[in-house]
Amino acid sequence: MRALGGSRNAARAAVTGIPSGAGLASFLAQAGATGLETTLASLNLPSLAADGVESVMLALADLLAPPGAEREDAITRDAVMETLRDWEETYADDPELGLGSPDTARELLTNYLTNYIIEKASQELGDCLERRAGTAAEIHALYQEFKDNLRSFIALDLSTLDFQTINWQQAQGADFIRQQMVTAYRLMEDQE
């Protein structure tokens, strides 16, 4: 974490990660409240029924994390794309892509934040794990344990929130996401 300037500075440096997470949460809350097709139409995104899930996911990725020239842009886009791929695979047989359940929105935001944080700090985390383990198998096991613990912490914090009532595009939503990042980076500091 020292390479990222500590947990608070690392979270502050998430200049596209936080807004993209807030945008995803806002989209999920709106889709949960009004339905997926209505939300897609309100954002001028392709229709799931007419254009298919791949077109919808690509358009949503472009909306949430457009390609950019900076490393932060690439990290954010990778995290969004991985989250959307997993979402598509998990709920491919459901016409609402699982958004009939409020737990799906929490699950997807948890996945995004985990993916973003792991990608953002991958080099630093890799260095920490290498110092603690000798073999590739040990490093992989520690990495997976860290990722699972991170996902559990984020999921626990999200479970206490009423996902639908938060204005994810305003300070409350961004502050929640930022705090998740600070907590995650502190976990990484504890690994050093």
Side-chain angles (χ1 to χ4, degrees), residues 2 4 10 19 22 37 61 66 72 75-76 80 85 102 106 115 121 123 126 134 146 150 152 154 156 165 188 190:
R2 285 186 274 280
L4 296 174
E37 286 293 339
E72 170 72 7
I75 288 169
T76 302
V80 165
R85 273 191 300 275
R106 287 184 183 91
N115 292 336
Q123 180 64 47
F146 178 81
L150 176 60
S152 294
I154 294 169
L156 180 63
T165 61
M188 276 187 244
D190 291 344

Side-chain angles (χ1 to χ4, degrees), residues 60-124:
L60 186 55
D62 288 343
L63 175 73
L64 297 172
E70 302 296 323
R71 182 174 188 274
E72 170 72 7
D73 300 326
I75 288 169
T76 302
R77 180 137 176 115
D78 287 348
V80 165
M81 293 298 290
E82 184 174 349
T83 302
L84 296 180
R85 273 191 300 275
D86 290 345
W87 181 22
E88 179 182 351
E89 289 174 12
T90 303
Y91 296 100
D93 297 331
D94 182 343
E96 285 290 308
L97 293 176
L99 293 178
S101 167
D103 292 337
T104 302
R106 287 184 183 91
E107 174 191 341
L108 293 171
L109 184 57
T110 297
N111 290 347
Y112 166 74
L113 290 170
T114 302
N115 292 336
Y116 174 82
I117 291 164
I118 291 292
E119 183 67 28
K120 179 87 172 179
S122 61
Q123 180 64 47
E124 186 75 12

Side-chain angles (χ1 to χ4, degrees), residues 11 32 50 98 108 119 136 161 172 175-176 179:
L108 293 171
E119 183 67 28
L161 297 178
Q172 184 183 17
D175 288 346
F176 175 82
Q179 187 55 50

Side-chain angles (χ1 to χ4, degrees), residues 1-11 13 71 120-128 131 185 188-189 192:
M1 282 316 316
R2 285 186 274 280
L4 296 174
S7 58
R8 291 204 186 278
N9 287 335
R71 182 174 188 274
K120 179 87 172 179
S122 61
Q123 180 64 47
E124 186 75 12
L125 180 59
D127 292 345
C128 291
R131 286 191 295 271
Y185 294 136
M188 276 187 244
E189 287 174 338
E192 293 188 58

